[in-house]
């Protein structure tokens, strides 16, 4: 509910601060007094884009604030999702700077214009004659029918299932596309994988193979070196082991002369044991080694394969080849098993489709029951608004695919006169007729869903007499469930308001300002009398004005 509106430095408004109440409020004033300015300011704080022409004084910023009571709007989730401080009394503020920049705030938290406008649409619904074209929008027409049908929970369920269906369908399309692409690459990837599987890919394998290759490729030199080394150790006369035997004998005798000589002897004895072991190992290696051209060729082939793989895959390490091998294994495996995956996903899509059809059918059945009721209520309402011969033809028909709001199409047709053919609202209904139909539909909706503050901006233009009186009664009835405003030129509508404000111009010196004040008592009588008879209203206009007020 709009509680208070503050406007500073906007168009013809210097500084305006006005409070509003629940129920039905009418706003009146002469043509050109500034009612559209007031609505323009409210539209800015609700998220409409602005420009420098909005400033009355181009050297000072324009500030518009609107305070709302929002405890009945279930907006805590919206505030949380947008990191806003929730308060049952919420203030939306818009500032337009002399530089042309615009800033928006919700409870003093800076917000984007999108956040402000989304919140604004949840709090206020403004309707003018131009905006009655919403009636011709299929989504709005479905909203009306679904409100009467009580489809809110079913539509939420349908929306969740539709999301799951789209996810599964998109994944199926991706898998099929991947299969088609993978089939082109399968043979090549399989060949690359086979090459990697034929190679020995272990940590340090290159170093090991290179060392073995060097040994096999230089076997004669190795044999000569081993033989010479073994001979140097074991030669009978001058060999190291022969000399070592003599040295052992000498240090053995020295050890008898004290501990330090004993330690020396221990070291010599240890070296002798090591040299003897070394001699045995040299002998074993010398006896084991022999030319092996077959092994040399195999080692050379393995090394060449690894270097070829490094070059082909443009890498330098075995670890990188292993990573490529793992990737190729996954690709080939996926290609070979993708048919099973596609089959499982097709079953999943089929189940989602079945679930959607079940919920969509339930939505359709409720709509079919609600359509006659809506047609009857609409016909009754517009008949009371002077369109006694008008009627509606609402047809629901099944669609082949799943839409955002179900599986149905909708034809919402209208005939203004008996015997006239039915046609689309935008083609056969006049502006005045669309205004009355919109009022009728909104009045019906008010009984089925929680509507935001509703502002009708001169939608009663071109209407007079008993019809305008009935329009006022309908608005007043709607105000039992919501806050309702009507900007009007008709005294019959203005008199129905529980509260009435007047917008007027005031000239001070060389400047003109738009003002707004609440009318009470005789002020309302005088305003209504002026609306009935002009500035020079008669006693009969006053009497008529009082009659309008007292009847309400």
């Amino acid at each position: 509910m709009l509680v208070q509106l503050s406007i500073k430095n906007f168009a013809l408004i210097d500084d305006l601060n006005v409070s509003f109440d629940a129920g039905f409020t009418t706003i009146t004033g002469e043509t050109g007094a500034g009612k559209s300015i007031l609505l323009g300011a409210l539209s800015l704080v609700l998220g409409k884009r602005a420009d420098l022409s909005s400033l009355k004084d181009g050297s000072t910023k324009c500030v518009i604030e609107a305070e709302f009571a929002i405890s009945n709007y279930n907006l805590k989730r919206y505030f949380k999702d947008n990191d806003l401080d929730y308060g049952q009394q919420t203030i939306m503020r818009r500032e337009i700077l002399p530089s042309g920049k615009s800033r928006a705030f919700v409870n003093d938290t800076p917000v984007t214009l999108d956040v402000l406008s989304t919140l604004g649409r949840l709090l206020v619904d403004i309707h003018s004659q131009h905006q009655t074209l919403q009636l011709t929008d299929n989504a709005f027409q479905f909203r009306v029918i679904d409100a009467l049908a009580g489809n809110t929970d079913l539509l939420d369920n349908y929306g969740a299932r539709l999301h799951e269906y789209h996810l599964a369908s998109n994944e199926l399309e991706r898998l099929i596309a991947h299969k088609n692409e993978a089939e082109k690459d399968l043979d090549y990837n399989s060949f690359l994988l086979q090459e990697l599987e034929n190679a020995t890919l272990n940590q340090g394998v290159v170093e090991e193979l290179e060392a073995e290759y060097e040994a096999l490729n230089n076997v004669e030199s190795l044999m000569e070196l081993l033989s010479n080394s073994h001979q140097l150790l074991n030669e009978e006369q001058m060999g190291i082991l022969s000399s070592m035997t003599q040295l052992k004998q000498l240090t053995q005798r020295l050890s008898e002369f004290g501990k330090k000589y004993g330690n020396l002897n221990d070291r010599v004895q240890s070296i002798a044991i090591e040299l003897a072991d070394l001699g045995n190992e040299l002998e074993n290696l010398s006896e084991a080694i022999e030319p092996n051209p077959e092994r040399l060729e195999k080692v050379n082939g393995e090394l060449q394969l690894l270097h070829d793989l490094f070059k082909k895959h443009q890498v330098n390490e075995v670890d990188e080849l292993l990573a490529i091998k793992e990737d190729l294994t996954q690709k080939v495996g996926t290609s070979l098993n993708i048919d099973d995956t596609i089959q499982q996903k097709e079953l999943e899509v089929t189940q989602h489709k079945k679930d959607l059809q079940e919920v969509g059918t339930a939505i359709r059945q409720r709509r079919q029951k609600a359509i006659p009721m809506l047609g009857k209520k609409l016909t009754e309402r517009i008949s009371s608004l002077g369109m006694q011969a008008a009627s509606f033809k609402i047809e629901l028909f099944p669609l082949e695919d799943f839409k955002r709001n179900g599986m149905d199409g909708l034809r919402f047709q209208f005939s203004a006169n008996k015997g006239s053919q039915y046609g689309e609202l935008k083609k056969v209904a006049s502006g005045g007729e669309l205004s009355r139909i919109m009022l009728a539909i909104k009045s019906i909706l008010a009984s089925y869903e929680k509507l935001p503050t509703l502002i009708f901006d001169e939608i009663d233009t071109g209407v007079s007499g008993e019809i305008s009186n009935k329009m006022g009664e309908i608005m007043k009835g709607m105000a039992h469930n919501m806050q309702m405003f009507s900007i009007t030129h008709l005294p019959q509508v203005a008199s129905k308001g529980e509260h009435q404000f007047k917008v007027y111009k005031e000239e001070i010196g060389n400047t003109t300002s738009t003002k707004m004040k609440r009318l009470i008592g005789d002020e309302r009588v005088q305003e209504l009398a002026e609306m009935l008879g002009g500035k020079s209203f008669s006693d009969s206009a006053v009497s008529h004005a009082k009659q309008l007020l007292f009847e309400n």
Side-chain angles (χ1 to χ4, degrees):
M1 184 183 94
L2 179 60
V3 176
Q4 190 165 345
L5 181 63
S6 172
I7 305 171
K8 294 181 180 179
N9 193 36
F10 177 77
L12 293 178
I13 299 175
D14 291 311
D15 190 349
L16 178 66
N17 200 325
V18 59
S19 298
F20 299 106
D21 299 306
F24 185 28
T25 297
T26 56
I27 299 174
T28 59
E30 295 179 355
T31 301
K35 297 187 293 298
S36 59
I37 294 174
L38 182 72
L39 200 57
L42 181 60
S43 296
L44 281 178
V45 83
L46 294 175
K48 181 182 176 182
R49 297 195 175 276
D51 55 47
L52 279 175
S53 64
S54 303
L55 276 64
K56 187 174 192 293
D57 179 353
S59 63
T60 306
K61 70 180 178 180
C62 164
V63 181
I64 305 169
E65 281 190 354
E67 181 181 348
F68 292 90
I70 64 170
S71 58
N72 295 327
Y73 286 82
N74 297 319
L75 292 176
K76 288 184 179 180
R77 179 62 182 269
Y78 180 84
F79 275 67
K80 182 179 180 181
D81 290 344
N82 289 281
D83 295 324
L84 299 174
D85 294 328
Y86 178 82
Q88 293 186 2
Q89 298 297 117
T90 285
I91 296 176
M92 299 170 67
R93 184 169 83 253
R94 187 82 180 276
E95 297 180 358
I96 303 165
L97 308 180
S99 63
K101 291 184 178 180
S102 169
R103 299 186 298 186
F105 303 85
V106 175
N107 291 334
D108 288 329
T109 299
V111 297
T112 65
L113 203 56
D114 284 342
V115 171
L116 190 74
S117 61
T118 300
L119 180 58
R121 286 192 297 271
L122 296 172
L123 295 175
V124 179
D125 188 1
I126 299 175
H127 280 283
S128 65
Q129 274 204 335
H130 300 295
Q131 289 162 315
T132 53
L133 290 178
Q134 183 186 29
L135 277 172
T136 65
D137 178 49
N138 214 230
F140 178 75
Q141 294 167 356
F142 268 117
R143 174 190 163 192
V144 176
I145 291 172
D146 285 324
L148 270 68
N151 273 337
T152 301
D153 292 340
L154 279 176
L155 285 169
D156 288 344
N157 188 358
Y158 176 88
R161 292 181 184 274
L162 183 64
H163 178 68
E164 294 172 355
Y165 171 73
H166 283 155
L167 288 178
S169 297
N170 292 339
E171 176 64 12
L172 178 59
E173 290 178 6
R174 188 194 68 80
L175 286 170
I176 292 173
H178 178 69
K179 176 188 175 182
N180 295 334
E181 192 65 30
E183 285 177 345
K184 300 176 186 178
D185 300 331
L186 178 59
D187 290 342
Y188 182 60
N189 286 338
S190 297
F191 170 75
L192 293 178
L193 179 60
Q194 188 63 48
E195 279 189 327
L196 291 171
E197 288 178 339
N198 290 338
T200 303
L201 300 178
N202 299 320
Q203 291 286 351
V205 65
V206 175
E207 293 79 4
E208 292 175 4
L209 288 172
E210 286 177 343
E212 186 178 1
Y213 176 81
E214 287 298 317
L216 290 168
N217 197 41
N218 297 280
V219 66
E220 292 180 356
S221 297
L222 275 173
M223 292 174 66
E224 183 180 353
L225 290 170
L226 286 169
S227 176
N228 291 340
S229 298
H230 184 267
Q231 184 177 357
L232 186 61
L233 277 172
N234 289 284
E235 191 177 17
E236 289 187 8
Q237 298 299 324
M238 298 297 293
I240 294 174
L241 289 177
S242 176
S243 299
M244 199 67 194
T245 301
Q246 296 178 31
L247 182 60
K248 285 169 58 182
Q249 292 172 351
L250 293 173
T251 57
Q252 181 67 39
R253 290 173 62 189
L254 278 172
S255 65
E256 298 174 358
F257 294 97
K259 184 175 181 181
K260 62 182 179 179
Y261 299 109
N263 291 337
L264 182 63
N265 177 59
D266 290 341
R267 291 171 63 190
V268 169
Q269 298 295 330
S270 176
I271 292 171
I273 294 171
E274 181 67 22
L275 286 172
D277 184 62
L278 185 59
N280 291 331
E281 187 168 348
L282 284 170
E283 183 177 10
N284 292 334
L285 289 172
S286 181
E287 291 175 353
I289 195 169
E290 61 181 6
N292 190 343
E294 292 82 6
R295 178 61 184 166
L296 176 62
E297 183 178 358
K298 183 177 181 181
V299 170
N300 184 53
E302 291 183 7
L303 276 173
Q304 188 60 49
L305 175 60
L306 286 171
H307 286 298
D308 288 345
L309 290 172
F310 286 150
K311 185 177 181 180
K312 175 179 284 190
H313 295 285
Q314 298 181 337
V315 297
N316 299 309
E317 302 292 338
V318 171
D319 284 348
E320 293 174 293
L321 286 179
L322 286 170
I324 293 171
K325 179 183 176 182
E326 182 179 352
D327 182 57
L328 286 169
T329 300
Q330 183 176 359
K331 286 181 178 179
V332 171
T334 300
S335 298
L336 294 174
N337 298 319
I338 197 167
D339 284 337
D340 291 338
T341 306
I342 288 175
Q343 186 178 12
Q344 291 175 357
K345 188 57 66 175
E346 286 175 338
L347 291 173
E348 183 180 337
V349 170
T350 300
Q351 184 59 50
H352 284 311
K353 188 174 182 180
K354 182 180 178 182
D355 293 341
L356 266 177
Q357 289 172 334
E358 182 180 334
V359 181
T361 299
I363 292 171
R364 176 181 299 152
Q365 290 171 347
R366 289 194 178 187
R367 285 171 174 170
Q368 288 170 336
K369 292 180 180 179
I371 284 174
M373 178 170 58
L374 174 62
K376 181 181 178 182
K377 286 179 178 289
L378 270 178
T379 301
E380 290 174 351
R381 295 289 169 92
I382 63 173
S383 176
S384 67
L385 293 173
M387 299 165 66
Q388 291 87 352
S391 62
F392 292 88
K393 184 179 180 182
I394 306 171
E395 297 176 331
L396 197 70
F397 53 93
L399 298 175
E400 294 296 326
D401 53 352
F402 300 110
K403 297 298 184 182
R404 185 177 56 85
N405 62 351
M407 308 184 305
D408 305 319
L410 181 66
R411 277 188 289 267
F412 204 103
Q413 297 182 303
F414 172 73
S415 172
N417 304 293
K418 287 183 179 180
S420 298
Q421 289 187 340
Y422 287 95
E424 294 181 48
L425 276 170
K426 61 183 176 183
K427 293 182 179 179
V428 300
S430 66
E433 288 170 339
L434 285 174
S435 296
R436 282 178 273 176
I437 294 170
M438 174 60 85
L439 176 59
I441 286 179
K442 285 291 183 179
S443 69
I444 293 170
L445 268 178
S447 301
Y448 291 91
E449 63 176 45
K450 181 67 177 179
L451 295 178
T453 292
L454 186 57
I455 300 176
F456 281 117
D457 178 23
E458 298 186 356
I459 69 161
D460 48 21
T461 299
V463 175
S464 60
E466 182 57 32
I467 296 174
S468 61
N469 191 58
K470 186 60 180 179
M471 289 182 79
E473 289 179 358
I474 291 176
M475 293 182 196
K476 185 175 182 180
M478 292 171 66
H480 293 152
N481 300 316
M482 58 189 296
Q483 187 184 38
M484 170 75 69
F485 288 85
S486 177
I487 299 174
T488 181
H489 285 293
L490 299 179
Q492 292 88 347
V493 174
S495 66
K496 297 292 190 296
E498 299 168 74
H499 324 283
Q500 184 174 348
F501 288 83
K502 179 177 181 177
V503 178
Y504 61 98
K505 285 182 180 178
E506 186 176 83
E507 295 182 0
I508 302 176
N510 294 323
T511 63
T512 301
S513 294
T514 290
K515 304 286 185 179
M516 183 176 182
K517 69 175 181 178
R518 184 189 293 265
L519 302 179
I520 56 174
D522 289 342
E523 291 176 323
R524 288 197 71 180
V525 174
Q526 181 176 339
E527 175 68 6
L528 291 176
E530 286 186 12
M531 295 174 73
L532 288 164
K535 289 287 186 181
S536 302
F537 53 84
S538 61
D539 291 341
S540 62
V542 172
S543 177
H544 190 187
K546 290 181 179 180
Q547 184 181 6
L548 287 174
L549 280 175
F550 295 149
E551 283 180 350
N552 298 311

